[in-house]
Amino acid sequence: MEEALVPEEEQPYEVPGNWVWTYTGSIAEVVGGGTPKTSVKEFYKGGTIPWITPADLSGYKKILISNGKRNITELGLAKSSAKMLPINSVLLSSRAPIGYVAIASHDLCTNQGFKSFLPSKAYYPQYLYWYLKSSKPYLESMASGSTFKEISATRCKEIMVPLPPLNEQIRIANKVERLLSKIDEAKRLIEEAKETFELRRAAILDKAFRGEMMEKSHISRESNANLYEIPINWKWKTFGDVAQVCSNLVDPKQYLELPHIAPDNIEKGTGQLLEYQTIEESKVKSPKHYFKKGQILYSKIRPYLSKVIIAEFEGLCSADMYPIETDLDAKYLFWYMLSPFFVEKASTAGSRSVLPKINKKELGNIPIPVPPKETQKKIVRIIESALSREKQTIGYLESIVGLMEKLKQSILSKAFRGELGTNDPTEESAIELLKEVLQEQVK
């Protein structure tokens, strides 16, 4: 019994009086896995025995697991160090990486990347699952190895565990799952709200360029069925009427220090410039368009027609982009080029719309609703104010997600300290449970 208890001075933290600190090797048999020779087809072909590898748990969200991507045969099992594990065995990946955890929902086996804990009367499988799941840094600290870190079988038996009475283990596991489920549901709803941001941004832009975000005004009726109604003091013009593509191909060797902007450097649909390199850093050699500060840079590749920015500096851009100057307010045209109507027209412009790039003529024929200059500026302010509020909302939601992750860790931390409000101090001490299991092991 003394060997099964963690000395008081080594115990990581204090637990309730009817709990004990013990080791995994004292409450369960630890079993490794194995891999049949992959070159022998008979070990795998037609196999019916589920065989789990750490890769099967990458991104795996469920507690229970029944099978992996591959099965092995009875012969493969017999000719390898893999062992059958009964239902409710707790699987722990002990290398590449350390810390994946799952519970066997029926008999299965694993490769050598696991150390598994066989069922015993001492622990409730879901309790050990959540404890190991919350102990990844501790588990990693127990690993050794120069090529890659691994927790040996011996060290797996030495994992310290706070052990409550069995009924308390069940209550803890149930409450943890209930609380974490609520957090996950809240996170799901937040992610859904974030995903609708694209739709809300599209709606804002669509309304803005119909004059629907301005004060009520008279509406003129357009006879052209392809166009929508606009306020009476606006005019429909073509892109070619109000903007010019500035083709200015230059030799990049003469501009090595200038930024090089390509479609990949622009976030789709947002007008946000991502990381970029200089001409020298990007090692480009073919001719590029020179652009000036204040010009609009527009990707002419059809799958990326919503990649648009206003240049805040001079530089060179990919030949797959158009530098554009306009007689309109530059921001007005910029936001219009991100609107659903413009993107749809650009995507289907001309008889050559099946080709991968939009040409100047097709671009020049796209219709643009043109309000008075002051109205253009006002629309820009309305759009940017509305999108700023949306961005703030997204930032707020993302901060909540961050807090939820901290809350998860707090719940798990409290769970294994007996601080979830589930502990019954009148229950028989876990030391009696431990004694019973140890006596069975001796038999």
Side-chain angles (χ1 to χ4, degrees):
M1 172 59 73
E2 188 175 341
E3 291 179 358
L5 297 175
V6 178
E8 189 172 345
E9 64 274 12
E10 295 178 17
Q11 296 173 10
Y13 47 82
E14 189 176 347
V15 293
N18 59 345
W19 295 28
V20 292
W21 273 102
T22 186
Y23 303 100
T24 46
S26 298
I27 61 173
E29 183 181 347
V30 180
V31 177
T35 299
K37 280 188 178 180
T38 54
S39 58
V40 181
K41 291 181 181 178
E42 291 78 9
F43 292 168
Y44 294 91
K45 189 175 181 180
T48 58
I49 300 172
W51 182 66
I52 311 297
T53 72
D56 293 318
L57 294 186
S58 177
Y60 193 77
K61 302 296 184 184
K62 297 178 182 178
I63 297 175
L64 303 178
I65 191 165
S66 60
N67 59 275
K69 290 181 180 177
R70 302 180 72 181
N71 290 344
I72 61 174
T73 62
E74 293 283 355
L75 183 63
L77 179 66
K79 295 293 185 179
S80 72
S81 58
K83 295 178 177 62
M84 287 301 295
L85 303 171
I87 185 172
N88 286 330
S89 295
V90 177
L91 320 181
L92 170 67
S93 67
S94 52
R95 69 179 189 185
I98 293 167
Y100 288 158
V101 193
I103 299 174
S105 62
H106 58 65
D107 295 357
L108 48 73
C109 62
T110 73
N111 77 350
Q112 66 274 21
F114 284 92
K115 301 294 184 295
S116 301
F117 305 94
L118 299 188
S120 90
K121 293 180 180 179
Y123 77 90
Y124 181 57
Q126 279 81 347
Y127 176 83
L128 185 59
Y129 169 91
W130 285 113
Y131 176 70
L132 295 173
K133 192 90 170 170
S134 68
S135 302
K136 185 175 172 65
Y138 168 50
L139 297 175
E140 289 175 336
S141 74
M142 300 188 74
S144 58
S146 53
T147 306
F148 53 81
K149 297 290 185 181
E150 179 176 11
I151 310 177
S152 67
T154 299
R155 291 292 280 160
C156 267
K157 295 175 183 178
E158 297 171 350
I159 297 170
M160 293 183 287
V161 181
L163 189 70
L166 194 57
N167 285 336
E168 172 62 359
Q169 293 181 39
I170 296 170
R171 290 193 295 267
I172 287 172
N174 289 344
K175 187 160 187 178
V176 164
E177 288 172 25
R178 189 165 62 251
L179 293 175
L180 296 192
S181 176
K182 288 180 179 179
I183 290 174
D184 287 340
E185 175 61 14
K187 285 177 66 177
R188 185 188 66 78
L189 294 173
I190 287 174
E191 289 304 316
E192 282 185 3
K194 286 169 64 179
E195 287 171 8
T196 62
F197 175 63
E198 297 293 329
L199 297 175
R200 293 196 300 274
R201 177 170 53 203
I204 288 168
L205 294 176
D206 189 59
K207 286 178 177 293
F209 294 106
R210 293 174 185 269
E212 294 177 9
M213 297 181 76
M214 308 289 292
E215 294 178 4
K216 288 185 178 180
S217 56
H218 295 292
I219 299 293
S220 64
R221 298 263 175 197
E222 283 287 347
S223 58
N224 190 329
N226 292 323
L227 302 178
Y228 51 77
E229 298 174 350
I230 54 176
I232 201 164
N233 59 340
W234 294 26
K235 300 292 182 186
W236 278 109
K237 296 187 178 182
T238 65
F239 191 92
D241 291 334
V242 298
Q244 308 81 42
V245 173
C246 305
S247 297
N248 186 17
L249 289 171
V250 297
D251 183 352
K253 292 178 184 175
Q254 302 173 25
Y255 302 89
L256 294 178
E257 299 305 314
L258 289 184
H260 174 236
I261 307 300
D264 287 346
N265 303 122
I266 300 171
E267 187 174 57
K268 189 175 180 180
T270 68
Q272 294 295 310
L273 183 62
L274 306 174
E275 289 186 6
Y276 58 87
Q277 296 179 318
T278 64
I279 292 294
E280 185 173 24
E281 289 168 338
S282 58
K283 296 181 172 55
V284 295
K285 295 183 175 145
S286 57
K288 303 296 172 188
H289 288 298
Y290 171 79
F291 64 83
K292 300 176 185 176
K293 180 179 179 180
Q295 288 182 332
I296 296 171
L297 304 184
Y298 176 63
S299 168
K300 61 183 179 182
I301 305 174
R302 288 195 192 271
Y304 305 115
L305 293 178
S306 58
K307 290 197 171 193
V308 192
I309 59 167
I310 296 180
E312 297 183 356
F313 42 72
E314 66 172 330
L316 302 189
C317 67
S318 161
D320 287 330
M321 304 194 76
Y322 288 136
I324 294 167
E325 287 187 347
T326 180
D327 302 328
L328 304 179
D329 181 276
K331 285 189 174 182
Y332 176 86
L333 181 58
F334 159 76
W335 286 116
Y336 179 68
M337 292 173 77
L338 286 172
S339 70
F341 183 79
F342 182 90
V343 172
E344 192 273 333
K345 289 293 183 185
S347 300
T348 58
S351 60
R352 292 155 28 98
S353 62
V354 292
L355 296 180
K357 298 176 184 178
I358 184 170
N359 63 35
K360 293 180 188 178
K361 182 179 178 182
E362 292 166 345
L363 181 63
N365 287 333
I366 295 176
I368 296 181
V370 180
K373 203 66 173 257
E374 283 306 310
T375 304
Q376 294 174 34
K377 293 181 182 297
K378 187 172 183 180
I379 288 172
V380 168
R381 289 195 297 270
I382 291 171
I383 289 171
E384 294 183 346
S385 175
L387 294 182
S388 176
R389 289 193 298 272
E390 290 288 329
K391 191 173 181 180
Q392 287 176 356
T393 300
I394 294 298
Y396 175 66
L397 292 177
E398 287 175 345
S399 70
I400 292 177
V401 170
L403 290 173
M404 285 182 173
E405 284 304 312
K406 291 181 180 178
L407 180 57
K408 269 189 173 183
Q409 294 307 312
S410 175
I411 289 169
L412 291 171
S413 176
K414 287 178 180 293
F416 304 107
R417 285 173 163 79
E419 297 174 357
L420 281 185
T422 56
N423 191 54
D424 181 356
T426 65
E427 282 182 330
E428 186 177 55
S429 173
I431 200 163
E432 300 302 323
L433 179 64
L434 189 57
K435 283 179 183 178
E436 183 182 346
V437 172
L438 292 173
Q439 285 172 357
E440 288 190 1
Q441 289 177 2
V442 171
K443 294 177 186 177

